């Protein structure tokens, strides 16, 4: 195995894989160091892919889509076990791991298994089963990801208390009751998945709203839909203590209240995986919870070291992490192909129903004193929405009253994560809502809601003139 490389990447998740293959595609000699026994990081193994697969599994076993189609009160498929529930997730994860292996092999990238530490600006030490290996590199890319934050005093070693990474490995049965602590992306996704399965879920959020970065109207509609499915949401509450005993766990809340549930899932923040890398000794600038501080090219305070993905913080999405890894190596090796990430990125939350957005929200416009108008279209008035039984979905356009320039697009309902890209393209290129009225759309389709949301917006625009 070669020990001198153009690029050494620490971590094989979305940022690491795409950064490594981008550099290798440009003729660079690349090595990837992975401490886990498998490739893919959280994106493949504990986060993005598993949770989205479980979402589809929950919809299948619960018959939730069929309820909308036929108005039948489906009950959970009889005899459902954890093995049934996790079967598809594990199959998809195994396939994704194999694809990652093929990708690295196809690009002639060396993979070293072990724990990495950075000795100096151009040297990475790898401690593995066979001892220690020293690698030299022109550029080092840190893509070591993040892990669930463990509040002090919470007994995560107990089989009734889980974080979002290990619940997939430790779950031994489908619970009857469940508490989810944290109303962010991960908390909302898992709360909706288990609610769809018929589990009585209580979501505990310390703030006053779910998903504060999402358009407030969309977030409110999501909460209302989840509550219709049976989710109980508690705001302005914090868990101060978890007391597991036998087959249940008692949560003590800051208000003094107590609640008993079969299992508790903590999804209240994550922290960067930088332990053991030696960044402090090198003088690499760090932020809260170990976040690595980078510039717009993803270079750290040490010029030969770059960082991308969850290890640098928000938005911590697989999609953006991939692009960050690519941009980092393009800049590091002065390659012209990809100089920056698009200033407008899509965000999706794979709850039930899913939501997606791109561009400015209404509250962002107000905070920035940007004049705006809105246009809406509802799935209940859309033929495809009626056909598939999703009558609660909605598309909202936020646009300028001056020239009708599209400022933001916000979506809740079936295929929101796919359909948002139509609006994203218009936002990115500075187009107007007239783009949607001038197009011919397949019929019947959910995409046709863009035309009707634009017409609704044009009525608001005409009244504003």
């Amino acid at each position: 195995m070669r020990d001198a490389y153009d690029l050494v990447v620490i971590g094989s998740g979305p940022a690491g894989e795409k950064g490594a293959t981008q550099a290798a595609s440009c003729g660079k000699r690349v090595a990837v160091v992975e401490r886990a026994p498998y490739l893919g990081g959280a994106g493949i193994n504990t986060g993005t892919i598993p949770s989205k697969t479980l979402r589809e599994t929950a919809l299948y076993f619960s018959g939730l889509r069929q309820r909308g189609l036929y108005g039948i009160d489906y009950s959970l498929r009889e005899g459902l076990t954890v093995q049934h529930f996790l079967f598809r997730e594990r199959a998809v994860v195994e396939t994704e791991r194999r694809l990652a292996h093929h990708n690295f092999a196809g690009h002639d990238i060396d993979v070293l298994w072990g724990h990495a530490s950075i000795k100096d600006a151009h040297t990475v030490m790898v401690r593995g089963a066979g001892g220690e290996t020293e690698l030299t590199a022109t550029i080092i890319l840190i893509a070591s990801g993040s892990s669930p934050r463990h509040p002090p005093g919470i007994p995560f070693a107990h089989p009734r208390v889980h974080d979002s990474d290990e619940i997939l490995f430790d779950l031994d049965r489908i619970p009857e009751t469940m508490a989810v602590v944290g109303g962010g992306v991960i908390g909302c996704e898992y709360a909706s998945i288990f609610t769809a399965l018929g589990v009585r879920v209580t979501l505990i959020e310390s703030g006053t709203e779910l998903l504060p970065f999402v358009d407030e109207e969309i977030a409110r509609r999501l909460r209302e839909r989840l509550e219709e499915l049976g989710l109980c949401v508690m705001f302005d509450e914090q868990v101060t203590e978890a007391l597991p005993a036998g087959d249940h766990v008692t949560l003590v809340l800051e208000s003094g209240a107590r609640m008993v549930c079969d299992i508790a899932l903590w999804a209240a923040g994550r922290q960067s995986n930088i332990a053991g890398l030696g960044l402090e000794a090198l003088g690499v600038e760090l932020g809260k919870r170990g976040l690595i501080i980078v510039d717009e090219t993803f270079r750290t305070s040490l010029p030969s070291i770059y960082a991308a993905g969850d290890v640098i913080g928000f938005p911590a999405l697989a999609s953006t992490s991939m692009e960050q890894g690519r941009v980092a190596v393009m800049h590091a090796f002065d390659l012209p192909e990809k100089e920056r990430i698009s200033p407008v990125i899509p965000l999706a939350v794979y709850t039930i129903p899913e939501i997606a957005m791109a561009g400015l929200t209404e509250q962002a416009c107000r905070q920035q004193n940007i004049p705006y108008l809105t246009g809406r279209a509802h799935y209940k008035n859309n033929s495809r929405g009626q056909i598939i039984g999703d009558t609660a979905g909605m598309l909202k356009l936020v646009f300028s009253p001056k020239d009708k320039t599209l400022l933001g697009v916000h979506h809740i309902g079936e295929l929101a994560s796919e359909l948002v890209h139509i609006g994203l393209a218009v936002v990115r290129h500075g187009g107007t809502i007239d783009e949607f009225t001038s197009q011919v759309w397949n019929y019947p389709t959910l995409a046709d809601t863009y035309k009707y949301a634009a017409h609704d917006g044009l009525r608001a625009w005409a009244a504003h003139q």
Side-chain angles (χ1 to χ4, degrees), residues 363-432:
Q363 57 265 37
C365 288
R366 292 195 297 270
Q367 291 164 2
Q368 299 175 38
N369 294 317
I370 298 174
Y372 72 91
L373 294 171
T374 60
R376 295 170 180 79
H378 297 268
Y379 280 22
K380 65 183 180 182
N381 299 323
N382 174 272
S383 297
R384 189 63 177 270
Q386 290 290 336
I387 291 169
I388 66 174
D390 183 356
T391 56
M394 184 188 79
L395 169 68
K396 179 166 78 169
L397 308 177
V398 178
F399 64 98
S400 168
K402 178 182 178 181
D403 55 9
K404 297 180 284 184
T405 297
L406 185 64
L407 303 174
V409 53
H410 307 278
H411 214 142
I412 180 169
E414 191 76 6
L415 296 179
S417 60
E418 301 280 354
L419 293 168
V420 71
H421 297 104
I422 298 171
L424 165 69
V426 177
V427 173
R428 182 183 176 189
H429 294 291
T432 72

Side-chain angles (χ1 to χ4, degrees), residues 45-272:
N45 298 288
T46 60
T48 307
I49 297 300
S51 62
K52 282 52 176 179
T53 308
L54 289 179
R55 178 186 186 274
E56 292 303 313
T57 303
L59 286 169
Y60 172 76
F61 279 116
S62 67
L64 196 59
R65 287 195 175 111
Q66 288 84 346
R67 294 179 210 176
L69 281 171
Y70 304 112
I72 300 172
D73 185 15
Y74 274 68
S75 58
L76 190 64
R77 190 156 300 195
E78 190 174 346
L80 176 66
T81 66
V82 167
Q83 287 70 33
H84 292 137
F85 181 50
L86 295 180
F87 174 80
R88 183 61 184 163
E89 178 267 336
R90 288 170 180 166
V92 172
V93 166
E94 285 299 326
T95 299
E96 290 291 321
R97 288 175 181 172
R98 287 196 298 271
L99 290 173
H101 274 286
H102 290 318
N103 198 19
F104 283 132
H107 286 87
D108 196 26
I109 294 170
D110 291 335
V111 177
L112 290 84
W113 303 96
H115 291 261
S117 61
I118 303 176
K119 182 178 178 181
D120 58 43
H122 297 285
T123 308
V124 175
M125 306 300 297
V126 183
R127 188 178 72 258
E132 199 165 55
T133 304
E134 182 176 287
L135 308 177
T136 61
T138 306
I139 297 295
I140 298 169
L141 172 62
I142 302 171
S144 49
S146 65
S147 300
R149 185 172 67 88
H150 284 188
I154 303 300
F156 287 96
H158 195 278
R160 298 297 169 201
V161 180
H162 306 272
D163 66 32
S164 57
D165 278 5
E166 52 88 9
I167 189 172
L168 301 180
F169 302 98
D170 292 350
L171 195 65
D172 59 0
R173 63 187 176 90
I174 303 296
E176 293 184 6
T177 60
M178 177 180 186
V180 176
V181 182
V185 172
I186 297 172
C188 287
E189 288 183 349
Y190 274 107
S192 69
I193 287 169
F194 281 95
T195 297
L197 287 174
V199 178
R200 297 194 303 277
V201 180
T202 300
L203 179 61
I204 303 170
E205 165 56 37
S206 60
T208 59
E209 57 186 338
L210 301 178
L211 306 170
F213 62 90
V214 170
D215 183 87
E216 55 195 5
E217 182 181 6
I218 299 294
R220 183 178 66 251
R221 292 178 72 92
L222 173 65
R223 187 193 75 240
E224 291 170 351
R225 179 60 178 146
L226 290 175
E227 289 174 339
E228 289 174 4
L229 294 177
L231 178 68
C232 174
V233 183
M234 300 177 67
F235 291 112
D236 287 319
E237 276 286 14
Q238 295 197 53
V239 178
T240 59
E241 199 173 3
L243 306 172
D247 61 354
H248 67 275
V249 58
T250 300
L251 301 184
V252 181
L253 306 182
E254 194 173 51
S255 63
R258 291 181 174 230
M259 65 173 298
V260 179
C261 52
D262 292 343
I263 65 171
L265 167 64
W266 254 259
R270 297 178 70 87
Q271 57 190 15
S272 295

